[in-house]
Every structure is written in structure tokens, then in C-alpha cells.
């Protein structure tokens, strides 16, 4: 079944209500490697619920109140086996409480037809709100690259702009070693795709081992920016966007290079052991 542009663009999604506790907040932090140094107060504030500044990491809204893997539904028209997570954008309007209930409202922002044999881009937006206060927590936009679904007659643009990295040496560099079991921990925050847990399924997909979730490496880069340029204060990170360039394997060290220009940060991340660029075109806004 080919993509029907009007049907996909206007696909309805039910609101998703998700309750979470301090345990979930801590589990998300542990999943991206925070807590590796249990004596570091900046890490303890995200991993111990009795800490005076205990709070969720600012990138946590990307895993909250989502609609699940809806592209697997036959009526989507998407060849789900061939999709890739291409880009992730997050704008933080207000801080998420350490525990509570959130409401997620998902919609298709646009569908771009790159042409026959060239695939399609599906921009999926999600607004997250705190149920009790009504506070608008975040707006996230994920770009799915549907590699097998171009040529359905949809619009060829406009595409969302990609941030350019400055042509100079980075101002800051931070390294985060990931755990060999990082994907097994991170999947407990909601993404239970077996590609991240089963060696057999990973081999069937063409990988020598299970790969790390893209949103886990996203969170690791967010942690590097937070602790390097925000003093560990989650209230200071206001926007965090990037493009996924290559898979990450659990156990690899992620090195994030950062360029600071006023209240904006450009960044990119490499897997040190393979000298491979895994996250690119990063853009963050800090208060």
C-alpha cells in the first residue's frame, strides 16, 4: 500500500495520558549514563529523589506520552521495516515535574515526497502538557525517513532547515562512556524495539550486535551540553535539535564537540572507538 498524502497528513491520533513517578525519572537518567560518578552532585540531582534539586533531565519529554510505533499499522501506507529516525527536535517551554501525569497530543506536521526510489520524510510533532496544571511542557518534532515510500505524488518541500556546524575548532569537548548494557536499561523508558535487545534480530537487520536507541544517544549529547555549558541546571536548556548520522553500539564512548555563540550551541558527536560521526548538525539554545 502506497502513502496516501491527504490521509497520512490528516491521520488522527488519540491523546495519550502517561503517569510517571520519580522511579521513571531516575530510570531515564540511568539509561543515558547519568550516575556513572555517584559522588558528582550534578549527577546525584537526577538520580536521587531526595536531592534538593531533583528533577528530570530536560531531554526526557521526548520519551513521554507518545503514540507508539503507529507506522506499523497497515493503513499508514508506510513500509515500516524500511524507516529510519532521521532527526529529532525539542523545544522546552516549561520544566516537567519530577513526577506526575502528562498528556501527549501528536499530529503529522508534514509529509515530503523525495521522489520515486528516494523515499519520503514524515515530520511528526508532539505537544506535551502537564495534566494537573495545564502547563505546556514541550514541542517535539521527529523526522522519519521512509526509505521505501517515495513517489506517491506528494509535495517535494519545504523541508525543515538543518543547522550548520561552525568552521573552526570546537570551544568545548566532553566524553561520555556508554555501558555495554545501556540499550537494555534505556528500553525500559518505553522503546522496547527488539533491535536494541536481541542479537539475532540485530543480525537479521544487518548489524553485528544490538544498537543503541537513537534517542538514547540524543540524551547522552544533551547531558554533555547540560553539564558542560549549563552548569548542570536543567532549567537552562531550552532547545535541542540534531540529525542522526550513524548507529551507536552500547559500550562505545560518545565524544561531543561544542561551539558556543551567545545563547546558542552548535554540536556534533562521534563514537570514539570507530572514529565515526553519529550525531550531526546539532543546535541547542541555552538560557
Amino acid at each position: 500500500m502506497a502513502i496516501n498524502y491527504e490521509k497520512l497528513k490528516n491521520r488522527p491520533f488519540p491523546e495519550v495520558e502517561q503517569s510517571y513517578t520519580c522511579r521513571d525519572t531516575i530510570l531515564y537518567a540511568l539509561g543515558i549514563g547519568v550516575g556513572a560518578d555517584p559522588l558528582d552532585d550534578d549527577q546525584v540531582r537526577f538520580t536521587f529523589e531526595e536531592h534538593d534539586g531533583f528533577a528530570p533531565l530536560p531531554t526526557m519529554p521526548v520519551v513521554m506520552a507518545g503514540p507508539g510505533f503507529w507506522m506499523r499499522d497497515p493503513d499508514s501506507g508506510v513500509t515500516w521495516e524500511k524507516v529510519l529516525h532521521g532527526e529529532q527536535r525539542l523545544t522546552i517551554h516549561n520544566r516537567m515535574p519530577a513526577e506526575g501525569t502528562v498528556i501527549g497530543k501528536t499530529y503529522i506536521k508534514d509529509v515530503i515526497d523525495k521522489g520515486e526510489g528516494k523515499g519520503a520524510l514524515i515530520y511528526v510533532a508532539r505537544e506535551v502538557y502537564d495534566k494537573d496544571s495545564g502547563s505546556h511542557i514541550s514541542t517535539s518534532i521527529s523526522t522519519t525517513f521512509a526509505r521505501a515510500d517515495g513517489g506517491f505524488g506528494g509535495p517535494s518541500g519545504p523541508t525543515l532547515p538543518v543547522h550548520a556546524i561552525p568552521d573552526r575548532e570546537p570551544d568545548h569537548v566532553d566524553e561520555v562512556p556508554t555501558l555495554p548494557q545501556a540499550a537494555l536499561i534505556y528500553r525500559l523508558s518505553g522503546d522496547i524495539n527488539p533491535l536494541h535487545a536481541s542479537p539475532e534480530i540485530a543480525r537479521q537487520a544487518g548489524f553485528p550486535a544490538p544498537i543503541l536507541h537513537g534517542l538514547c544517544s540524543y540524551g547522552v549529547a544533551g547531558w554533555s551540553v547540560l553539564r558542560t555549558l549549563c552548569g548542570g541546571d536543567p532549567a537552562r536548556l531550552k532547545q535541542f535539535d540534531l540529525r542522526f548520522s550513524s548507529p551507536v553500539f552500547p559500550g562505545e564512548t560518545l565524544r561531543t564537540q561544542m561551539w558556543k555563540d551567545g545563547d546558542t550551541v552548535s554540536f556534533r558527536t562521534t563514537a570514539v572507538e570507530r572514529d565515526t560521526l553519529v550525531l550531526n548538525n546539532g543546535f541547542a539554545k541555552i538560557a
Side-chain angles (χ1 to χ4, degrees):
M1 179 186 295
I3 287 177
N4 179 314
Y5 174 76
E6 291 297 333
K7 182 178 180 181
L8 183 57
K9 176 70 168 60
N10 296 293
R11 182 183 180 89
F13 292 90
E15 290 187 3
V16 175
E17 181 175 311
Q18 180 179 352
S19 295
Y20 63 102
T21 66
C22 291
R23 178 187 177 93
D24 301 300
T25 298
I26 294 169
L27 188 60
Y28 174 79
L30 294 175
I32 66 170
V34 179
D37 182 354
L39 301 181
D40 178 2
D41 195 58
D42 283 342
Q43 299 185 51
V44 175
R45 76 180 299 171
F46 300 108
T47 54
F48 180 47
E49 69 281 3
E50 294 183 24
H51 190 284
D52 282 345
F54 178 67
L57 284 162
T59 53
M60 188 174 171
V62 297
V63 303
M64 302 301 294
F69 195 14
W70 60 269
M71 292 182 190
R72 202 167 182 173
D73 295 344
D75 70 344
S76 73
V78 178
T79 308
W80 64 269
E81 301 92 338
K82 298 289 186 179
V83 302
L84 294 173
H85 193 171
E87 299 161 347
Q88 182 65 48
R89 295 169 169 84
L90 175 68
T91 300
I92 302 161
H93 308 294
N94 292 285
R95 291 179 62 183
M96 193 170 80
E99 60 183 355
T101 301
V102 293
I103 304 294
K105 300 180 180 181
T106 298
Y107 58 95
I108 305 294
K109 184 175 177 65
D110 213 345
V111 184
I112 304 300
D113 188 351
K114 294 172 66 67
E116 184 69 34
K118 298 180 180 179
L121 299 177
I122 305 171
Y123 295 125
V124 183
R126 183 163 76 252
E127 310 288 352
V128 175
Y129 299 84
D130 181 66
K131 182 181 179 181
D132 291 338
S133 68
S135 174
H136 189 187
I137 294 171
S138 65
T139 300
S140 64
I141 301 174
S142 63
T143 304
T144 295
F145 180 31
R147 293 177 292 165
D149 298 305
F152 55 88
S156 59
T159 57
L160 293 178
V162 176
H163 181 66
I165 299 296
D167 184 17
R168 68 175 195 267
E169 289 298 306
D171 302 314
H172 305 274
V173 178
D174 185 58
E175 290 190 358
V176 177
T178 66
L179 293 171
Q181 64 269 36
L184 299 177
I185 299 172
Y186 185 84
R187 71 192 299 266
L188 301 179
S189 288
D191 186 346
I192 58 172
N193 187 335
L195 177 63
H196 306 294
S198 166
E200 180 182 354
I201 290 176
R203 285 192 293 268
Q204 291 173 3
F207 298 106
I211 61 174
L212 195 62
H213 303 70
L215 285 180
C216 183
S217 55
Y218 173 91
V220 172
W223 170 237
S224 284
V225 171
L226 185 71
R227 72 177 182 175
T228 303
L229 296 173
C230 301
D233 181 357
R236 293 186 60 195
L237 190 61
K238 299 299 185 182
Q239 186 173 343
F240 201 72
D241 307 340
L242 57 75
R243 171 174 282 186
F244 299 102
S245 298
S246 185
V248 174
F249 293 96
E252 292 185 318
T253 302
L254 297 184
R255 176 187 293 148
T256 298
Q257 299 173 305
M258 293 161 265
W259 293 258
K260 187 175 184 298
D261 295 287
D263 64 352
T264 67
V265 179
S266 306
F267 65 92
R268 66 185 175 205
T269 302
T270 58
V272 173
E273 290 80 2
R274 290 180 292 129
D275 191 26
T276 299
L277 184 66
V278 294
L279 306 173
N280 201 7
N281 306 107
F283 174 83
K285 183 165 285 191
I286 60 177

